[in-house]
Amino acid sequence: MSFAHALFMQMEIVSHRVCTGLWSEKGIRVRIIAELVRNEAKYLDNTYLSEGTENECKNSDFPKQYAQYSEEYILGTKLNYKTIHSLYRKEVLSITEKNTFMGIWQFHALATILNTPIYSVYPNL
């Protein structure tokens, strides 16, 4: 079970105890889609995506990096604004399918929806 899936399952358990509707798995997915559609320009903007990063990361091309880690990315595809934009939209559409994984853009949207930072934690190997 992936971390993202476990997170959504845990959120769903808590949501049934606290709220209904908007906090169910489907409700969270709908809110993520709405957030990503309403704020598409923001989620494709390098300045916005670099907020909160270390200074040495400020010159990174975050939209390009996010696109490369997308499940929709095909190895060897030349990434420019048009292809990144297309990958972004494919990712947003994929959220509508049941049992699909979320990517980096979706985690940004989830953090906005929950109004709290989300941290990825990796064990030392």
Side-chain angles (χ1 to χ4, degrees), residues 2-9 25-26 28-30 32-33 71-72 90-103 106-107:
S2 73
F3 174 76
H5 184 70
L7 173 66
F8 278 105
M9 285 178 50
E25 178 190 357
K26 288 179 184 175
I28 293 279
R29 285 179 180 268
V30 167
I32 289 171
I33 292 166
E71 288 189 7
E72 303 295 330
K90 286 179 184 177
E91 275 211 12
V92 172
L93 287 174
S94 74
I95 303 168
T96 63
E97 298 171 23
K98 190 174 181 170
N99 298 323
T100 57
F101 294 101
M102 301 279 174
Q106 291 85 347
F107 274 96

Side-chain angles (χ1 to χ4, degrees), residues 81-93:
Y81 182 80
K82 185 177 178 181
T83 56
I84 293 169
H85 188 254
S86 175
L87 287 168
Y88 176 87
R89 288 193 168 182
K90 286 179 184 177
E91 275 211 12
V92 172
L93 287 174

Side-chain angles (χ1 to χ4, degrees), residues 3-99:
F3 174 76
H5 184 70
L7 173 66
F8 278 105
M9 285 178 50
Q10 185 63 32
M11 288 173 49
E12 189 166 28
I13 291 167
V14 171
S15 71
H16 285 296
R17 294 181 185 152
V18 178
C19 303
T20 58
L22 289 177
W23 293 104
S24 68
E25 178 190 357
K26 288 179 184 175
I28 293 279
R29 285 179 180 268
V30 167
R31 292 178 72 187
I32 289 171
I33 292 166
E35 172 66 19
L36 291 170
V37 169
R38 263 193 305 250
N39 298 297
E40 182 177 90
K42 183 168 80 171
Y43 288 103
L44 292 170
D45 179 62
N46 194 58
T47 303
Y48 173 74
L49 295 177
S50 68
E51 288 179 11
T53 60
E54 301 293 327
N55 286 337
E56 63 268 10
C57 295
K58 293 290 184 190
N59 294 327
S60 297
D61 187 349
F62 285 98
K64 185 176 182 178
Q65 290 176 8
Y66 286 17
Q68 287 176 322
Y69 285 101
S70 168
E71 288 189 7
E72 303 295 330
Y73 176 69
I74 298 170
L75 188 63
T77 302
K78 183 170 174 67
L79 290 172
N80 55 36
Y81 182 80
K82 185 177 178 181
T83 56
I84 293 169
H85 188 254
S86 175
L87 287 168
Y88 176 87
R89 288 193 168 182
K90 286 179 184 177
E91 275 211 12
V92 172
L93 287 174
S94 74
I95 303 168
T96 63
E97 298 171 23
K98 190 174 181 170
N99 298 323

Side-chain angles (χ1 to χ4, degrees), residues 3 119-123:
F3 174 76
Y119 299 97
S120 293
V121 180
Y122 298 94

